[in-house]
Each structure stands twice: as C-alpha cells, then as structure tokens.
Amino acid sequence: MSEHPLLTGHTRRVLFVVIGEKTEKSVDNWKMGCGNGDNKHVTVFILTVLCLGVYIYLYVDINMGIQKIEILERSTYDHLNLILANQDRTTVFKPTTLKPHYVKHTGNGSGMQFFLHDYNISGPILTIFTSWSKSNETDLLRNNTVRNWSLFSPYLYPILFTNDTGLKRDVRAMGWDSLPIIHAGKGVPVLKHMYLAAMEKIESPLYAFVNGDILFTQSLLETLVSVLQSHLYQNGTVLVVGRRTNVLNVKRKTASSFQDLANVSVKNGSLFTPWGLDYFITSKTFPWRDMPDVVIGRVGYDNFLVVESNKRKIAVIDATKTLLAVHQTTKKGGNFEGRKKINRDYNINLIAKIYKKVNYAMGTSSAAKYFTKYNSKSQVCIVKR
C-alpha cells in the first residue's frame, strides 16, 4: 500500500505524538485503577488502535480507487479526441493536418461527445442506407436500428429504401429520409442502384449499404475519420468491410446507448465468420455502374464485391478490429437468414453468367489487403497485411 498524502510530514508526527500520549495515559490509568489482574482496559485500547489502523487503510484504499476511476473516465471522454490530435507519424499512412472542431452530442440520452474534423464539406461524412419490409416479427429490430442510427446525426444521413408509405412515414418521423425502390430483381432491391440513388440524393465523402439489423457505436466514427485521413481514400478508391458481432435479443434501451451496446457485446457477443459481411462503406469513386445487378439479402454478393475490388486494385479495408457492428440476432432468424430465403442463389447464378467462375473464398474480410487497428495511443490507423 502506497503512503497516503495526508499521512506525511508534520501530520504524521502529530498523529504519532497524539497516539503516543494516549498510549501513556492509558497505561497509567490501567496501573492506577485496574490492578494487576484486570486486562479489560488494555483490550479496549488495543481494539481501538486496530480499528483506527483499519480505518486509515480503507480510507487510503478507497481514495486510490476513486482516483483510478477518474483517470479512466477522463481517458474514455478523451478517446475520440486522441484519434484526431497529433496523429502518430509512425503509422503506415501519414494523415493530412486538419483543423478540429468539437461538437457535443447529447441527443437521445447518449451523453456521448463526438470529436470530428472540419473536412470543409456541407453535409454528413457518411450516407448510410438499408431496406426492409413491414413485418411484425422484426418490428423491434427495425425500431432499434432507426433509433441507433439516428444517434449519429448530423454526421450520418440515414435512408430507408421502401415503397411502403407506412414505413416511409415512420422513419421520417425519426429523422431518416426515404427513397423508392425502382430497380429490383425478384422483388428485391438491386444494390448498385441503391448507391447511385443515394449519391444523387446526398453529397458526402462516403456511402454505405448496411443490413437493417446492424447497430453501431462511436467506433464507427473513429474508423470513418481514419479512412478519410488515409492516402488510400485521398488518392484512390476504398471499400471498407468487416465482421459483425452477434448479440441475442438486443433490448431497446441497449440499442440507444453506445456504452450499453459495447458492454453487452463484450459480455454476450460472438464474432461472426469472415464470410458474412454486413456493411460496405465506399468512396464516391467506387465503380458501381460497372457492377452486376446483384440484390441485397441473398448470398454471394458480399464476397463478390471483395473479389472484384481486389481485382480492380481498389483498396479493401477490413475494419473488424476497430469497428463494432452489432448484429441483432433472434432465435427464429438466426445468423444465416440469407440461406433460408426464396431465390437464395439469385446472385450466384447472375454472377456465373457474367464471370463464369469466381473464387468466393478470396472474398472474405480476411482477403482485404488492409486492416484497421488501434495503435499505442488508442488511435485508429490503417496498415497493410
């Protein structure tokens, strides 16, 4: 146990004198009034000294614990700021020097502070979109997603692709936008036309289709900032993918709190296979017009995008180590829903007609040429495999 600051110098000497005086008086009193055979007063005196020692020990220990908690608390609030200020010059990609501005975000009770840079853009840094159908079985999941993505306003611009007037009304009431589904295969939205429509609607440096049951924490923003600062983005085209973390039956309160979501993921979450990809963050220069008309929610399109991007020398970044993507797993839906749907091989058959043979094993998140990680200063950096 380290010495408490209060028990140093003069204070310690005074305490010694006081205890010494009390000891001498107690011994004299014992000699005068107790006789040789009566040890009651001695016992009381010893217990008093022991209690005093225990009190001092607990006082010091508790105060040291409080100091540690305060340090951890300050570290947590400074975490996002660290990835922006004084970037580590030893990382693979030297970031550009950007002037930071700070925005305190307290909406929806999150109490989280986002520290973002001024990229001289008038709008969000990510346009994020998805699509789903009306279903009583998945209403809770979708509502969780709507609330969770809304927490990132104004840095994310969420869009739901739907032709259902009720869904359109509901998400717009929560701060989302909506766009109609114009291009579909077997009634399912075509992925590339979702990107093209989102780009026409909103101007932002990054665009992402994300499955509608995925939730995020502030780690999404940390990773986005790192991508925007990298020369991979500034001098080329990027595709950011990653593995998800499956968590069973995420509650509404949990989905609305980044801290609770992170805690439940650590406690109950399990990392999914690198074959299954649920988010696709791309720069505007990604060649979506050249992609086949694959549809969302069916197997094959995710791994194909990684294979084709590597083939075209597009920088594919695996963000698994820094970006927490929580999949709201249900006992009924499970983790392989795409394999259970009608026309499950729609994308596989479509791709086979155009590309003849595709090695899908080279389309996992592990096949990405780059990946993100935290350095010794808790900053997100991008390195080459």
Side-chain angles (χ1 to χ4, degrees):
M1 182 183 71
S2 60
E3 186 180 63
H4 192 273
L6 292 179
L7 299 181
T8 58
H10 178 71
T11 305
R12 184 172 54 197
R13 291 193 297 271
V14 170
L15 182 60
F16 176 79
V17 171
V18 171
I19 294 176
E21 290 178 354
K22 288 186 177 182
T23 303
E24 292 177 358
K25 291 180 180 179
S26 297
V27 172
D28 291 340
N29 290 337
W30 170 70
K31 291 180 178 179
M32 292 173 62
C34 296
N36 294 328
D38 191 350
N39 293 325
K40 291 183 179 180
H41 289 79
V42 175
T43 302
V44 171
F45 170 73
I46 293 174
L47 290 176
T48 301
V49 173
L50 288 175
C51 289
L52 179 61
V54 171
Y55 171 79
I56 294 174
Y57 173 81
L58 292 176
Y59 180 83
V60 173
D61 192 56
I62 292 172
N63 275 274
M64 290 177 64
I66 292 174
Q67 291 176 10
K68 290 180 180 179
I69 292 173
E70 290 175 348
I71 293 172
L72 289 173
E73 184 181 27
R74 288 194 299 269
S75 176
T76 300
Y77 280 109
D78 290 342
H79 186 61
L80 290 180
N81 195 20
L82 281 173
I83 68 171
L84 304 176
N86 300 318
Q87 285 283 338
D88 185 9
R89 303 308 182 189
T90 63
T91 56
V92 174
F93 305 119
K94 183 178 179 180
T96 57
T97 302
L98 300 174
K99 181 180 179 180
H101 74 276
Y102 308 106
V103 181
K104 185 176 182 180
H105 180 84
T106 56
N108 298 297
S110 70
M112 180 60 63
Q113 289 184 327
F114 297 149
F115 301 95
L116 296 182
H117 281 77
D118 183 2
Y119 289 97
N120 297 318
I121 58 173
S122 56
I125 63 174
L126 175 68
T127 300
I128 184 172
F129 47 89
T130 190
S131 183
W132 60 66
S133 302
K134 185 71 175 177
S135 170
N136 293 331
E137 297 175 352
T138 59
D139 277 352
L140 175 61
L141 303 186
R142 308 312 184 192
N143 290 336
N144 284 346
T145 300
V146 172
R147 293 187 184 93
N148 178 262
W149 292 11
S150 295
L151 294 176
F152 293 92
S153 177
Y155 310 115
L156 268 61
Y157 191 95
I159 300 174
L160 178 68
F161 280 82
T162 181
N163 293 330
D164 186 294
T165 55
L167 286 176
K168 182 189 303 184
R169 179 189 64 249
D170 292 343
V171 297
R172 287 188 170 181
M174 292 292 292
W176 284 39
D177 202 348
S178 65
L179 288 174
I181 301 171
I182 299 176
H183 301 275
K186 299 294 185 179
V188 183
V190 174
L191 180 65
K192 75 176 186 181
H193 288 290
M194 298 174 75
Y195 277 90
L196 295 174
M199 291 177 186
E200 184 177 352
K201 173 76 174 181
I202 298 297
E203 182 67 29
S204 64
L206 296 169
Y207 296 83
F209 168 77
V210 180
N211 283 332
D213 49 12
I214 298 296
L215 308 176
F216 295 105
T217 67
Q218 72 277 4
S219 64
L220 171 62
L221 292 179
E222 295 179 31
T223 303
L224 292 179
V225 168
S226 179
V227 170
L228 290 174
Q229 290 183 315
S230 71
H231 82 64
L232 293 176
Y233 168 80
Q234 296 175 5
N235 300 323
T237 301
V238 298
L239 168 65
V240 182
V241 296
R243 299 164 68 180
R244 75 192 193 207
T245 298
N246 296 322
V247 178
L248 186 63
N249 299 327
V250 178
K251 305 299 183 183
R252 171 178 174 176
K253 180 181 178 181
T254 302
S256 300
S257 167
F258 294 152
Q259 189 60 56
D260 290 349
L261 197 58
N263 290 341
V264 74
S265 299
V266 172
K267 183 178 180 181
N268 302 323
S270 60
L271 197 62
F272 198 49
T273 170
W275 282 83
L277 308 176
D278 289 75
Y279 60 87
F280 309 87
I281 305 170
T282 73
S283 47
K284 195 170 186 177
T285 54
F286 191 89
W288 284 111
R289 294 186 184 278
D290 298 337
M291 296 294 111
D293 289 353
V294 294
V295 300
I296 65 174
R298 302 296 184 271
V299 298
Y301 79 93
D302 49 356
N303 306 126
F304 167 78
L305 287 175
V306 175
V307 171
E308 186 66 12
S309 295
N310 282 332
K311 179 181 176 182
R312 291 173 178 259
K313 308 300 181 183
I314 293 170
V316 182
I317 304 170
D318 177 9
T320 302
K321 291 186 177 182
T322 62
L323 199 167
L324 176 60
V326 177
H327 176 250
Q328 302 177 77
T329 303
T330 61
K331 291 183 178 179
K332 182 174 182 179
N335 292 312
F336 298 94
E337 297 177 63
R339 300 181 183 179
K340 305 172 185 177
K341 295 180 179 178
I342 302 174
N343 301 312
R344 53 158 283 178
D345 293 327
Y346 179 89
N347 292 327
I348 301 293
N349 296 332
L350 176 65
I351 294 170
K353 293 178 182 178
I354 304 173
Y355 297 88
K356 305 305 179 184
K357 186 177 181 180
V358 175
N359 184 4
Y360 288 97
M362 297 303 296
T364 67
S365 59
S366 301
K369 299 295 179 62
Y370 304 89
F371 68 95
T372 61
K373 70 173 187 177
Y374 288 105
N375 62 22
S376 59
K377 297 181 179 180
S378 299
Q379 299 167 330
V380 177
C381 59
I382 304 174
V383 297
K384 193 170 184 177
R385 287 196 194 276

